[in-house]
Amino acid sequence: MHRYVYPDGALYVLHTKNRENGLVIDSSVSFGQLVSEMNSYAHFCVGDKMDLGPWDRYVKARWWSFRRGTVIYRINDLLDERRVSPRMTQEELVMQVDAFATSRV
């Protein structure tokens, strides 16, 4: 919701909606805390190999989507770096990995 920049770093004020408690306000959150929480929430890291098909596919980038409330991944297959990489939410990516794993069995 807000960012306060100081000489030694920035602090954030976060507003989140909780189904049980309504609006939750977290103040004085550092950038390190934000990154740490995203790392604990995310299922995949940049550089991880994905089993989505016959070609090698890798996670090229990931970031937090505040609008969707989840991690967004950019996937590429290294066959052609000029090709536009698909973007998937974490939920979509997990479903596709699980579907491919069950189709191989």
Side-chain angles (χ1 to χ4, degrees), residues 25-42:
I25 299 174
D26 295 311
S27 60
S28 300
V29 178
S30 70
F31 183 73
Q33 290 171 313
L34 290 172
V35 171
S36 174
E37 287 298 317
M38 186 180 82
N39 286 337
S40 66
Y41 181 81

Side-chain angles (χ1 to χ4, degrees), residues 93-104:
L93 185 57
V94 168
M95 284 179 21
Q96 285 192 12
V97 167
D98 290 343
F100 183 71
T102 57
S103 70
R104 291 176 47 184

Side-chain angles (χ1 to χ4, degrees), residues 17-74:
K17 293 180 183 176
N18 190 338
R19 292 185 184 186
E20 294 84 31
N21 301 330
L23 179 65
V24 177
I25 299 174
D26 295 311
S27 60
S28 300
V29 178
S30 70
F31 183 73
Q33 290 171 313
L34 290 172
V35 171
S36 174
E37 287 298 317
M38 186 180 82
N39 286 337
S40 66
Y41 181 81
H43 289 256
F44 307 104
C45 294
V46 173
D48 284 354
K49 183 178 175 183
M50 312 303 305
D51 289 328
L52 293 175
W55 297 285
D56 291 342
R57 297 177 68 96
Y58 297 90
V59 175
K60 290 297 190 180
R62 75 174 184 192
W63 62 93
W64 182 260
S65 171
F66 289 98
R67 290 184 185 262
R68 295 183 182 181
T70 189
V71 178
I72 305 292
Y73 294 94
R74 183 180 295 263

